Amino acid sequence: MKTFVASRLGSMVAILVALTGVMFVLQNISPLDPVKAQLGAQASADAVAARRAALGLNDPVLVQFWHYLAGAATGDLGTSYRTRHAVMSDLGSFVPATLELALAGLLIAIVLAVLLAFSTTLKWRGANVLRAVLFAGSSAPMFLLGILGLIVFYQDLGWVPANGRSAVPSPPTGPTGMLTVDGLLHGRLDVVADAAHHLILPAFVIAIGPAVAIGRVLRSSLLADIDSDYARTARAKGLSETRILARHVLRNSVGAALSMTGLQVGLMFSGVLVVEQVFGWPGIGQYVAQSIPVADFPAIAGVTLMLGALYVVINTVVDLLQAAADPRIAVTGG
């Protein structure tokens, strides 16, 4: 088990270093001069030379890469050309909104996936309707699904707000930056209810696709184990099919679903960037959308590195959870 954990952690570090190297190369081949982007096109030659020296741009390439890698490892992602603030500081303002939306979407996706897998495996009444609705929703692009949701649930029915995170004046601003959590910590149930009201539709939009992917994998695993020896033994003891699935079959079937969940989390964050534009959600999607037109490479690279690191870390954690659930994985090396 220790060897398995060490190999997975080593692979994670190697991938993160490679990702940082890619971003460093892209920055160096970019036609935009970072010094002139910071000082302006009218800066004097002396000012440009002094700034290049201060930024270490005259150092050998390997030395520059080492400084870039060390900075990324310590949270120094450079300074945004647009906001003139440290990229990490900007991300600290935008990430909580995106994280709250992504976590809500992941929670809804897991619930829908389990419901889809169990209902279709046990052939519950209405399972085919649920399956048809989820499959239809997952086949549509996220931006189109979001627009349709706004037309139906905001414009026609008036059930949800159109955009933003909250309509409550002066909501709590800390400690997490996530309104639902901060509202609970401050005892502001009005903030929690309003934040959840704004959150529900965009969270469902990003959850439908992952829910179908995870649910299909989980259902296949459940069907493969539903007639196993231990399931037949539990059935002979008089346990209901639902209890057999939940108590005996699910643990042995969850490995493949965990792997799919790790993959879907990465795809979910890419979808969040699109959904934030549709719903006017003030997260990193808005930050990137504002940075691209002005070629703010440090901001774009910072978001890319953060999302890439998050994706790699989540999948590493999923691998470790799989090994904990099924020790055979650690023995065979996955």
Side-chain angles (χ1 to χ4, degrees), residues 115-160:
L115 185 60
L116 175 64
F118 271 60
S119 64
T120 52
T121 300
L122 297 175
K123 296 180 173 58
W124 291 345
R125 181 178 299 177
N128 289 333
V129 175
L130 174 64
R131 183 178 183 180
V133 170
L134 291 180
F135 272 68
S138 67
S139 64
M142 280 192 182
F143 74 90
L144 179 59
L145 198 60
I147 293 173
L148 291 175
L150 285 174
I151 292 174
V152 174
F153 296 105
Y154 165 68
Q155 181 175 308
D156 294 343
L157 299 176
W159 289 356
V160 295

Side-chain angles (χ1 to χ4, degrees), residues 19 23 26 91 288 297-310:
L19 175 62
M23 300 313 300
L26 291 177
L91 292 179
V288 171
F297 190 89
I300 299 169
V303 172
T304 303
L305 285 173
M306 184 197 69
L307 293 180
L310 186 64

Side-chain angles (χ1 to χ4, degrees), residues 1-86:
M1 185 66 175
K2 292 181 180 179
T3 302
F4 177 81
V5 172
S7 66
R8 286 298 185 266
L9 293 178
S11 299
M12 179 185 72
V13 172
I15 293 172
L16 291 177
V17 171
L19 175 62
T20 306
V22 170
M23 300 313 300
F24 175 77
V25 171
L26 291 177
Q27 179 173 282
N28 276 268
I29 65 177
S30 171
L32 183 66
D33 187 342
V35 175
K36 292 185 177 180
Q38 293 183 15
L39 300 180
Q42 306 302 321
S44 66
D46 290 340
V48 170
R51 188 59 180 164
R52 289 186 66 85
L55 294 175
L57 298 179
N58 297 327
D59 295 335
V61 174
L62 290 179
V63 175
Q64 292 184 46
F65 174 64
W66 172 253
H67 290 159
Y68 187 80
L69 181 62
T74 57
D76 182 5
L77 300 175
T79 302
S80 168
Y81 300 156
R82 180 176 59 86
T83 67
R84 306 297 180 183
H85 298 148

